[in-house]
Amino acid sequence: MTKTKVALLGAGFIADIHLESYHRFVPDAEVVAVYARRPERAQSFAQRHGVARWFSDWERAITDSGCDVVDVCLPNFLHARAVRAAAQAGKHVIVEKPLCLTLEEADEMVAVCQSHRRKLMYAEELCFAPKYERVRKLAGEGAFGQLYQLKQAEKHSGPHSDWFYDINQSGGGVLMDMGCHALAWFRWMLGGQPKPVSVYAHMNTVFHHGRTQGEDNSVVIVEFEGGVVGIAENSWAKHGGMEDSAEVYGTGGVCYADLFQGNAALTYSEKGYGYAMEKAGSTRGWTFTIFEEAFNQGYPQELKHFIDCVRNDQPPLVTGADGRAVLELLYAAYASAGRGQKVKCPFTAKVAKPIDLWLKPA
Ligand SMILES: NC(=O)c1ccc[n+]([C@@H]2O[C@H](COP(=O)([O-])OP(=O)(O)OC[C@H]3O[C@@H](n4cnc5c(N)ncnc54)[C@H](O)[C@@H]3O)[C@@H](O)[C@H]2O)c1
């Protein structure tokens, strides 16, 4: 069988990880084209990774590259437009998190993919991270008894690109950027069945004053039908390197899983070293050196799954509807922090971007 041809929209941080994942772990896929806004960036990315064609116009990358699948690795505000253009051009789409900026966009993305009979996968890699997957299976076997609490944390000292700090491009701060992982993981752990009943959130800006109007620290508590509580802790203000961890509490057991420190080589270096995927700021002194970040976080497994779905005409495990459900929880969390009170679910509102519910609660 011929390979499934992928056009990668974006040539930044996550596109690099996706590219490495396709090359090393998804032999049925071939990345045939890459888009970046700056032509020199697109060209150098293509040359570095042996990608045949490069574009500095993302619509042309979709229509002129001969791809079967479009992989959207663009800033959040472009997700909806890119998914719509891809589906209308007859391409299957995988889109990075968060799904998009508004619920209206989310509905349109799902609808346009449905009407063109194209698959839409929401790229939540934590659903494929091997350590978290093992934990989920243990929970499914009843190893922890009746679950009553889940906690997921993702923290570092701030993202690498300016657009994350511009709320019109990102839709919000750290909650939008990394809280979406926790909210998706709660739903994944609970099999998507129990509906969220309420959301309570607190957020503030403690470190990146002046750089962003967005929150850089947030805590969200989601209560699900049946009583399970999910606690999401997210920060762009945490120094000392990236944290990605999960905790599961049940009436018969407990589990702690840590994707970074827990998998790291404890390192001491007087001089420091070059590779700082750990987002540690400095690699001098004591650090935890991570390895196989892409694999440990589930990116190749996620991409392989989607390519298999396309080739075998199967529905993806994580869909646009899941991304929409996460976005609805993000709306509820911003509204809760804006109002200073618990918000009932389901929650909807008409806004240009989720963070408006915090910044302009009225
Ligand atoms: N799943 C994860 O763990 C994870 C990690 C990082 C990023 N992401 C998501 O991936 C997406 C991209 O993030 P990134 O970290 O790769 O960003 P990045 O800044 O590293 O790269 C962004 C890419 O988009 C292009 N771009 C930027 N602004 C543009 C504009 N205004 N118009 C057209 N193109 C533009 C750039 O050329 C660049 O190639 C985001 O949605 C982000 O939330 C996901």
Side-chain angles (χ1 to χ4, degrees):
M1 262 174 98
T2 55
K3 295 194 180 208
T4 302
K5 297 184 178 62
V6 179
L8 203 51
L9 301 190
F13 175 83
I14 202 66
D16 246 344
I17 293 178
H18 282 209
L19 199 282
E20 178 200 335
S21 299
Y22 286 119
H23 275 180
R24 290 184 55 204
F25 299 101
V26 196
D28 287 334
E30 179 186 0
V31 178
V32 293
V34 62
Y35 154 85
R37 188 166 40 160
R38 288 188 294 116
E40 60 278 14
R41 169 93 192 167
Q43 187 175 20
S44 71
F45 185 98
Q47 278 168 356
R48 190 166 72 250
H49 294 294
V51 176
R53 298 190 67 188
W54 58 268
F55 294 86
S56 56
D57 172 334
W58 59 262
E59 283 167 319
R60 281 200 51 223
I62 294 171
T63 52
D64 296 4
S65 64
C67 65
D68 310 300
V69 166
V70 172
D71 182 345
V72 181
C73 297
L74 296 172
N76 306 344
F77 77 105
L78 291 169
H79 289 186
R81 267 180 261 172
V83 169
R84 186 197 311 127
Q88 286 172 344
K91 317 296 180 182
H92 301 289
V93 205
I94 179 162
V95 59
E96 262 301 340
K97 61 80 206 166
L99 185 68
C100 52
L101 297 201
T102 68
L103 290 171
E104 291 78 12
E105 284 180 345
D107 288 336
E108 201 219 335
M109 289 159 82
V110 171
V112 75
C113 289
Q114 252 164 18
S115 67
H116 287 81
R117 299 217 175 116
R118 297 298 90 184
K119 297 184 196 303
L120 173 60
M121 179 161 174
Y122 178 56
E124 178 45 73
E125 79 280 357
L126 292 191
C127 301
F128 298 87
K131 193 185 272 192
Y132 286 177
E133 200 41 21
R134 177 79 173 119
V135 172
R136 189 176 75 99
K137 293 218 167 94
L138 290 180
E141 283 170 25
F144 314 126
Q146 187 74 33
L147 300 189
Y148 61 85
Q149 190 165 295
L150 302 170
K151 182 172 150 192
Q152 209 274 334
E154 243 190 64
K155 304 176 187 183
H156 56 58
S157 59
H160 45 279
S161 290
D162 288 342
W163 69 262
F164 284 92
Y165 300 89
D166 173 358
I167 56 173
N168 291 317
Q169 296 190 59
S170 58
V174 69
L175 176 65
M176 192 75 184
D177 179 34
M178 303 205 296
C180 61
H181 288 300
L183 300 172
W185 182 75
F186 298 154
R187 296 184 68 257
W188 182 244
M189 282 294 290
L190 300 174
Q193 292 305 321
K195 291 191 170 41
V197 180
S198 72
V199 174
Y200 179 76
H202 178 80
M203 56 190 72
N204 48 0
T205 310
V206 298
F207 182 56
H208 293 287
H209 297 288
R211 188 164 189 197
T212 183
Q213 286 179 277
E215 76 292 352
D216 63 13
N217 199 66
S218 68
V219 182
V220 177
I221 301 173
V222 185
E223 182 192 354
F224 289 90
E225 271 173 358
V228 179
V229 169
I231 304 168
E233 281 185 11
N234 296 96
S235 189
W236 284 349
K238 205 275 294 178
H239 298 285
M242 172 94 175
E243 174 183 342
D244 192 317
S245 61
E247 299 175 10
V248 179
Y249 298 87
T251 52
V254 62
C255 187
Y256 305 100
D258 184 328
L259 292 191
F260 282 83
Q261 281 102 326
N263 280 347
L266 188 61
T267 306
Y268 181 84
S269 170
E270 291 279 346
K271 179 171 154 283
Y273 52 97
Y275 191 68
M277 206 65 138
E278 297 83 357
K279 300 192 179 174
S282 162
T283 52
R284 292 179 64 181
W286 282 107
T287 54
F288 52 90
T289 306
I290 61 165
F291 66 99
E292 292 290 4
E293 188 208 19
F295 186 86
N296 288 330
Q297 283 202 275
Y299 298 105
Q301 298 87 333
E302 160 197 278
L303 296 170
K304 182 176 183 322
H305 167 70
F306 188 56
I307 296 299
D308 288 346
C309 288
V310 168
R311 292 172 77 83
N312 302 313
D313 195 18
Q314 293 296 315
L317 286 170
V318 193
T319 63
D322 292 306
R324 190 208 188 275
V326 169
L327 187 62
E328 197 176 311
L329 288 171
L330 290 169
Y331 269 44
Y334 281 112
S336 168
R339 296 173 188 179
Q341 63 192 41
K342 204 189 241 192
V343 162
K344 285 212 168 79
C345 297
F347 180 89
T348 54
K350 276 236 174 283
V351 281
K353 53 191 178 303
I355 197 174
D356 290 347
L357 293 159
W358 178 51
L359 294 175
K360 308 176 214 165

